Amino acid sequence: GLLQVVKQCVRVPVFVMIRPRGGDFLYSDREVEVMKADIRLAKLHGADGLVFGALTEDGRIDTELCTALLAVCRPLPVTFHRAFDMVHDPLVALETLISLGFERVLTSGCDSSALEGLSLIKRLAEQAKGRIVVVPGGGITERNLQRILEGSTASEFHCSARSARDSAMKFRNPNVAMGASFSAPEYSIKVADVAKVRTLNAIAKNIL
């Protein structure tokens, strides 16, 4: 439903993340069935590309699973998401993604944020030599975007550009929380911030 409505509202390409649960990127056979079904449905409802990531138990790219999922995704372009930041050897993993045919890889440089992982992001972009697009992501804001783009030589970037909006609910039950203890406050809503998006776009266009 979200994909159908978004496609009606925007002109930019919409890439759909295929991730059946939170946590690690080692998937069971049943979870793989869900991922394949989600890919087919996303394509059916107008996705312009897909995003997923899968690893083996020893922290390598799961080439067998990725090959199977890529086959279901085609002919759409595919991005390997930040599962990349959990690999054992990112330089080897990058070559694996290139050989498999991924168009992009999203990464924070295997660190807590793209700013912290900037040196590795730059090294990955240099190693890629245009064979795959290395997309910095993780903690990117209007305050650090220029430094990240200039320091990584990246031509694309990923960020949430979100802000919190207070709920319009007038009656509130303070004794109940719909989710885990670490989830967002019940009456605070995360929304894409138009002003942030415009500022980030202006910064990027000035650099790129």
Side-chain angles (χ1 to χ4, degrees):
L2 175 63
L3 175 59
Q4 287 180 296
V5 173
V6 167
K7 287 291 294 183
Q8 292 168 8
C9 295
V10 304
R11 296 190 188 94
V12 296
V14 178
F15 280 45
V16 176
M17 174 120 75
I18 304 300
R19 189 175 177 193
R21 58 163 172 77
D24 64 36
F25 305 101
L26 183 65
Y27 295 112
S28 69
D29 291 343
R30 288 292 187 220
E31 287 168 339
V32 171
E33 288 180 27
V34 172
M35 294 170 83
K36 289 179 178 178
D38 282 342
I39 291 168
R40 294 187 187 102
L41 287 168
K43 290 172 69 177
L44 181 65
H45 293 290
D48 299 293
L50 287 307
V51 183
F52 69 80
L55 305 178
T56 62
E57 63 183 15
D58 59 351
R60 303 176 197 281
I61 305 296
D62 189 333
T63 55
E64 183 178 350
L65 176 52
C66 285
T67 298
L69 293 177
L70 281 165
V72 184
C73 290
R74 296 309 187 199
L76 298 181
V78 186
T79 299
F80 193 93
H81 62 42
R82 285 190 61 202
F84 184 84
D85 292 322
M86 306 302 280
V87 298
H88 176 70
D89 187 330
L91 303 183
V92 171
L94 185 70
E95 293 301 324
T96 302
L97 296 184
I98 292 168
S99 68
L100 288 171
F102 283 90
E103 280 79 7
R104 289 176 177 82
V105 56
L106 174 63
T107 179
S108 64
C110 300
D111 216 319
S112 57
S113 72
L115 193 59
E116 296 293 325
L118 194 53
S119 60
L120 178 59
I121 295 172
K122 182 179 181 182
R123 187 175 177 187
L124 291 167
E126 290 170 347
Q127 178 180 327
K129 294 178 181 171
R131 295 175 295 160
I132 190 172
V133 180
V134 177
V135 183
I140 293 181
T141 68
E142 55 269 43
R143 294 183 297 277
N144 61 26
L145 177 60
Q146 180 172 345
R147 183 175 168 190
I148 289 168
L149 289 179
E150 290 177 345
S152 66
T153 69
S155 59
E156 300 181 17
F157 67 97
H158 167 83
C159 65
S160 62
R162 289 183 302 185
S163 62
R165 184 184 74 200
D166 192 46
S167 167
M169 286 292 298
K170 288 185 169 55
F171 173 76
R172 303 183 179 193
N173 184 349
N175 301 315
V176 179
M178 299 293 174
S181 58
F182 56 81
S183 63
E186 203 63 45
Y187 297 102
S188 178
I189 302 167
K190 293 286 189 180
V191 296
D193 189 316
V194 174
K196 287 185 178 181
V197 173
R198 285 178 174 154
T199 300
L200 287 157
N201 271 334
I203 294 169
K205 286 176 181 176
N206 188 51
I207 296 169
L208 304 175

